Amino acid sequence: MKKITAIAVAAMLVGSVVLTSCKKYEEGPALTLLTKKARVAGTWELEAYLVDGVDKTADYRTLVTSEELIYSKEGTYTSSYTFVIGSDTDAGSWEFINDKLEIKSLSNDAGATPDTMVIVKLKSKEMWVKEKTPGSTVEEMHYKAK
């Protein structure tokens, strides 16, 4: 009986180490059955906008009243933004880079340069990404599934 208990305790310790080390992104999840591509694919809207760790969502909403980002499993995206004055749309392609720790997107617009976002959290209904701007400011966007 003691041998079975010792084996069970050892299995639980090994299991907990394996599960905690499976966490790929800073904020999780630790374990999921969906592929990373399946979690990115979908329609997203902004829930929070942080600049250098400070919540600037209210400031963002004074300029952008709504947005919709649609990522496909096939590697394409479309985005639409409604501003206080006017709107804008974009389309292009996206892919994982850096061992699926980042998303690189490239607009179909002529002369566009790729954008790279670091994935902080990637769940089926929640995606957090960070992007460093030219002035060394770190923008963090928290998206929720629409």
Side-chain angles (χ1 to χ4, degrees):
M1 186 69 173
K2 287 183 181 181
K3 188 175 185 179
I4 293 172
T5 304
I7 291 171
V9 169
M12 288 189 319
L13 288 173
V14 169
S16 66
V17 168
V18 168
L19 286 177
T20 56
S21 65
C22 288
K23 188 173 168 180
K24 185 171 192 91
Y25 304 117
E26 186 178 322
E27 294 292 329
L31 184 64
T32 181
L33 298 177
L34 293 174
T35 66
K36 290 166 186 63
K37 190 173 268 193
R39 285 181 272 158
V40 170
T43 304
W44 300 95
E45 64 184 344
L46 190 77
E47 186 171 47
Y49 175 72
L50 293 82
V51 177
D52 291 333
V54 178
D55 189 348
K56 298 286 186 175
T57 309
D59 296 339
Y60 178 86
R61 287 290 173 221
T62 63
L63 301 172
V64 182
T65 58
S66 67
E67 65 286 309
E68 183 177 81
L69 306 173
I70 302 171
Y71 287 91
S72 76
K73 285 184 183 179
E74 292 75 30
T76 61
Y77 77 88
T78 59
S79 62
S80 59
Y81 294 87
T82 303
F83 301 99
V84 175
I85 301 173
S87 61
D88 188 30
T89 59
D90 186 33
S93 61
W94 72 272
E95 65 180 336
F96 287 114
I97 59 171
N98 193 15
D99 195 30
K100 297 186 180 179
L101 293 171
E102 299 175 344
I103 295 175
K104 181 174 82 172
S105 57
L106 179 62
S107 173
N108 290 337
D109 292 343
T113 57
D115 289 322
T116 303
M117 300 178 295
V118 176
I119 301 169
V120 178
K121 179 187 255 185
L122 184 57
K123 295 184 173 184
S124 62
K125 301 207 180 279
E126 195 174 16
M127 177 171 61
W128 295 6
V129 293
K130 283 184 182 179
E131 193 170 12
K132 196 170 189 178
T133 61
S136 295
T137 300
V138 177
E139 295 177 334
E140 184 171 325
M141 287 75 67
H142 297 185
Y143 293 101
K144 66 177 181 177
K146 199 166 180 186

